[in-house]
Amino acid sequence: MKPENEVERFVADTGLDTHAERDREILRDVLRAHDDFQQRRSQLRQPQTWRTIMRDHSRKLATAATVLLAVVLFFAVSDWMTKPAWALQDAIDALKDFRAVHIVGAFPGGTADVWIRANTSKTQSSDVVVKGSHGTITWTQDGATYHYEPNQNTVYYEHALTLGVTQWLGPELLEMLSTAQNVEVVRGKDPATGRDRVTLLCSLIDVQGAQSWIIEFDVASKLPVAFKQWGNLDRSGPPRFDALKVTYYEDLPDSVFAVHIPGQPVYVQKPLTIPDENIGVLSDTRDGLSAEGMTQQEAAERAVRTMFQAVIDGDLATLRKMCPLCKNWGDEFLRSVLLKTGKNQRIVEILKIGPISETGHSKLGPIVALPIAVQRQDGLRAEQRVIVQFRTLGGVSSCVVHGPYGLAREIK
Amino acid sequence: MLKDALLIWKFRSGDSGALAKIYEDHRQNLLRIAAGLLNQTSAAEDIVHDVFVRLAQSPDKVRLQGNLRSFLATCVVNRVRNANKAAQLRRTSALDEARAVAADDTGPQRWIVVNERLTVLNNALAQLPYEQREVVLLHLQGEMKFRDIARSQGVSINTVQSRYRYGLDKLRSLLDGEIL
């Protein structure tokens, strides 16, 4: 399309200047129109977002990109790592020195800055802050998760760490990925930079509902550089979160994670919910245990104890019977991710099961959350909240374990 | 192209800085195309102003198939076509307005700083049939491929190439002695 003769050059090269003051005036008009549109869009989406938060456990923190990693790491996952096609070990080696990460990305309706820091032993995230472009802030603090909505001057909270990374970047991640069953790896070049990259595609159903991801690793640096997350298995539609930039840090100062909310917001506790798409898996009468003649506390405690004893004993059949969502995953994966067979983080003893702390309802019936304290082989103790689903099927009352309610916390 | 995609991604994600960058990068070229199509600076300014405002109000509608420059040039062309249709419905008054505006082209409220070279070019372009003018401007200033222009005009690529050739020939004779 280069001009070939004088006339073409004359047309192509004839420029014009503009009056700077008028430039600024018009730009102000344009930006004002954009702001108006953004406000209208925000107002339209706000109720829907909150309804979604109320209804769908997986989206309770719509701005939270980190859910992505939480799932990949909590229950994740195939045998592609064992193939020499791509040495993920290199990526893990590249990652293990980093204790903190900063992610910039977009979710439907805005952008978000996400800061995550691991605990000192780098086993999982301990601090997370997500700042949305419309003033929303989501963060974790003292075992609870908070979500500030500036338009409503309200902070929604729940007594569980539902935002974060269940397995920090490191060798554990490699092991989990090496046991995955539904992972696909594609090699190619980044069209933007021409650099070699490896793209990981995966999906699964877990306590967060259906999830799928694309994660891009830069081959030279061995680091994950971008990812997308969808709330379905086939990566259809716009992603729930699109992370364009990922920056790694050896550490970040505490001030990054200190959240100050302006004014005097109203604090509202979020109701306990589970994803509707998990209801079907929880409805099999052959799973769980009878709750006939027992209080909710007694039945829930018994279900949780039975499940965790199965984890200690390595009894996969009982584990799947008590926690039917585990049926979605293979033996190797369960041993790697839940049982942690041969690892120091393996659970060796149930210390205590606490009283029901939250209650709610799913389409199947009442749900409750209660804490369990466990002793690990490495000497540390951890507390995990667990959600139990009650149901009355065929006139018989019974219950099953839905799964964890947020991340586990190390306790003294 | 990727730079454009990134800019649009940010813009659609609500980043007003991205919109300001689009404005900064493209306003002069769009004004140039609009002025060339209309040969009325004030009308051209209104068109480009409207294009940016509409863009700001509908980020979700931006579907980039080529580059951003072409996309915006097409937006301008579509608005000019609409303005032309409207003008045909009220031809007499439109001509009166055009004269009035032309007299005000150098006023303090103007956006475009008119220069002699631009005036020469636009006066020459104004003597081309509209379709030829559009093809020449979209190809040379909007950097659009003939294939894309053909799609935009709803004609075959051969027709577009003919319009371009005839347009250039006529411009050559009109601009003879003006270029150098």
Side-chain angles (χ1 to χ4, degrees):
Chain A
M1 221 186 301
K2 285 185 178 174
E4 292 173 1
N5 60 43
E6 283 182 6
V7 175
E8 288 175 312
R9 262 196 296 277
F10 184 76
V11 177
D13 296 344
T14 298
L16 56 76
D17 291 321
T18 49
H19 290 286
E21 191 180 338
R22 192 81 180 118
D23 269 343
R24 286 191 291 273
E25 286 172 8
I26 292 176
L27 179 59
R28 270 198 297 275
D29 284 352
V30 171
L31 293 178
R32 196 178 302 121
H34 186 55
D35 285 346
D36 290 346
F37 168 78
Q38 290 289 79
Q39 281 184 6
R40 282 198 307 278
R41 179 157 77 174
S42 176
Q43 284 164 1
L44 284 172
R45 286 186 171 171
Q46 200 56 52
Q48 185 182 355
T49 303
W50 178 234
R51 279 200 298 277
T52 305
I53 289 170
M54 299 281 280
R55 190 176 64 240
D56 185 344
H57 212 59
S58 68
R59 296 181 186 178
K60 69 178 76 177
L61 300 165
T63 58
T66 45
V67 169
L68 133 113
L69 291 170
V71 180
V72 168
L73 310 179
F74 188 85
F75 284 126
V77 192
S78 108
D79 57 1
W80 65 276
M81 288 303 163
T82 59
K83 297 171 185 172
W86 181 53
L88 186 72
Q89 181 65 56
D90 292 341
I92 299 304
D93 285 343
L95 287 166
K96 66 185 180 186
D97 293 332
F98 300 107
R99 194 187 157 204
V101 62
H102 175 218
I103 301 166
V104 180
F107 56 92
T111 57
D113 274 271
V114 183
W115 286 268
I116 316 172
R117 184 169 63 179
N119 57 10
T120 50
S121 53
K122 291 187 190 172
T123 55
Q124 65 178 51
S125 64
S126 61
D127 305 289
V128 184
V129 174
V130 181
K131 294 186 177 176
S133 53
H134 303 308
T136 59
I137 307 175
T138 311
W139 73 103
T140 60
Q141 188 179 329
D142 300 330
T145 306
Y146 301 84
H147 179 71
Y148 171 61
E149 283 289 347
N151 293 341
Q152 303 168 16
N153 193 31
T154 301
V155 173
Y156 298 96
Y157 67 94
E158 54 189 336
H159 292 298
L161 295 171
T162 53
L163 180 67
V165 179
T166 51
Q167 175 59 64
W168 193 248
L169 310 168
E172 297 292 330
L173 172 61
L174 171 65
E175 293 202 19
M176 281 193 282
L177 291 173
S178 70
T179 58
Q181 296 169 332
N182 57 347
V183 175
E184 184 183 342
V185 174
V186 179
R187 299 175 68 91
K189 285 190 181 295
D190 184 336
T193 63
R195 291 165 68 96
D196 288 333
R197 69 179 181 186
V198 171
T199 303
L200 166 70
L201 302 90
C202 54
S203 60
L204 65 110
I205 298 173
D206 73 349
V207 292
Q208 315 256 11
Q211 313 277 327
S212 56
W213 305 269
I214 293 178
I215 306 172
E216 293 180 11
F217 294 78
D218 176 64
V219 172
S221 69
K222 313 290 194 292
L223 293 169
V225 290
F227 61 80
K228 293 181 183 182
Q229 179 193 14
W230 287 262
N232 53 54
L233 292 176
D234 57 359
R235 297 182 287 278
S236 58
R240 179 184 298 169
F241 189 78
D242 185 351
L244 193 74
K245 185 179 174 189
V246 184
T247 310
Y248 299 88
Y249 298 89
E250 288 184 14
D251 204 349
L252 283 171
D254 291 342
S255 57
V256 171
F257 299 97
V259 175
H260 302 286
I261 300 299
Q264 301 270 319
V266 178
Y267 281 76
V268 176
Q269 186 168 4
K270 287 183 180 178
L272 188 67
T273 58
I274 62 174
D276 287 347
E277 61 258 43
N278 287 351
I279 295 298
V281 184
L282 302 177
S283 305
D284 192 330
T285 53
R286 293 167 296 184
D287 294 329
L289 51 79
S290 171
E292 291 290 326
M294 286 188 272
T295 64
Q296 277 194 340
Q297 175 68 35
E298 289 169 343
E301 192 171 327
R302 188 173 162 202
V304 171
R305 184 177 295 282
T306 305
M307 176 191 158
F308 275 79
Q309 193 59 50
V311 170
I312 293 168
D313 297 340
D315 180 354
L316 296 183
T318 302
L319 176 59
R320 289 185 171 113
K321 179 178 165 64
M322 295 309 303
C323 184
L325 282 176
C326 292
K327 291 177 179 176
N328 288 316
W329 308 302
D331 291 357
E332 196 179 356
F333 175 61
L334 280 174
R335 289 193 189 96
S336 171
V337 176
L338 280 183
L339 273 53
K340 299 193 182 295
T341 306
K343 310 273 178 51
N344 278 337
Q345 298 102 318
R346 189 172 70 86
I347 297 171
V348 294
E349 184 185 355
I350 298 170
L351 297 173
K352 182 184 176 184
I353 298 177
I356 291 171
S357 54
E358 279 94 16
T359 60
H361 269 83
S362 76
K363 287 183 176 176
L364 197 54
I367 54 176
V368 301
L370 67 169
I372 177 172
V374 296
Q375 177 73 53
R376 299 191 331 201
Q377 187 167 315
D378 58 10
L380 294 173
R381 295 177 173 190
E383 182 184 271
Q384 172 74 67
R385 284 172 187 269
V386 182
I387 294 178
V388 176
Q389 169 75 64
F390 286 88
R391 70 258 170 102
T392 302
L393 302 168
V396 178
S397 176
S398 60
C399 63
V400 290
V401 176
H402 174 257
Y405 180 33
L407 304 185
R409 293 177 67 206
E410 291 175 1
I411 55 174
K412 292 180 180 175
Chain B
M1 182 96 164
L2 282 162
K3 183 184 157 204
D4 288 348
L6 178 60
L7 207 53
I8 288 297
W9 175 86
K10 286 182 174 177
F11 165 54
R12 292 179 64 180
S13 301
D15 185 344
S16 55
L19 178 60
K21 173 78 174 147
I22 293 170
Y23 174 83
E24 183 67 27
D25 288 353
H26 295 282
R27 71 187 194 288
Q28 290 187 346
N29 191 51
L30 296 184
L31 284 167
R32 199 164 60 130
I33 293 171
L37 289 170
L38 291 162
N39 199 25
Q40 295 175 38
T41 51
S42 63
E45 289 168 1
D46 289 346
I47 294 278
V48 175
H49 179 272
D50 284 355
V51 164
F52 278 115
V53 168
R54 289 298 293 269
L55 180 75
Q57 292 171 330
S58 50
D60 297 335
K61 291 181 181 169
V62 179
R63 294 283 181 270
L64 221 53
Q65 292 180 324
N67 58 41
L68 185 55
R69 186 184 177 110
S70 301
F71 172 81
L72 293 170
T74 305
C75 292
V76 166
V77 165
N78 288 339
R79 290 210 150 247
V80 169
R81 288 176 190 161
N82 291 341
N84 284 342
K85 281 178 194 166
Q88 280 173 2
L89 294 173
R90 48 182 174 79
R91 180 164 296 168
T92 308
S93 61
L95 286 171
D96 291 344
E97 281 173 17
R99 286 188 201 104
V101 163
D104 192 33
D105 271 355
T106 55
Q109 295 303 310
R110 294 270 62 84
W111 192 5
I112 297 173
V113 179
V114 178
N115 61 58
E116 187 181 350
R117 184 177 164 126
L118 184 70
T119 304
V120 168
L121 174 62
N122 286 349
N123 285 340
L125 283 166
Q127 296 182 56
L128 302 187
Y130 178 78
E131 288 77 11
Q132 291 178 15
R133 200 186 320 163
E134 196 177 281
V135 171
V136 169
L137 284 169
L138 286 180
H139 186 64
L140 291 175
Q141 296 189 342
E143 296 183 358
M144 283 177 72
K145 294 176 180 168
F146 289 132
R147 184 187 60 221
D148 296 328
I149 299 171
R151 194 180 299 126
S152 163
Q153 293 189 335
V155 295
S156 72
I157 194 166
N158 288 337
T159 302
V160 167
Q161 287 171 331
S162 295
R163 286 174 177 173
Y164 182 71
R165 201 165 49 247
Y166 286 123
L168 274 194
D169 286 347
K170 186 158 188 183
L171 276 181
R172 189 172 294 114
S173 62
L174 289 166
L175 293 169
D176 188 29
E178 299 275 5
I179 295 177
L180 294 174

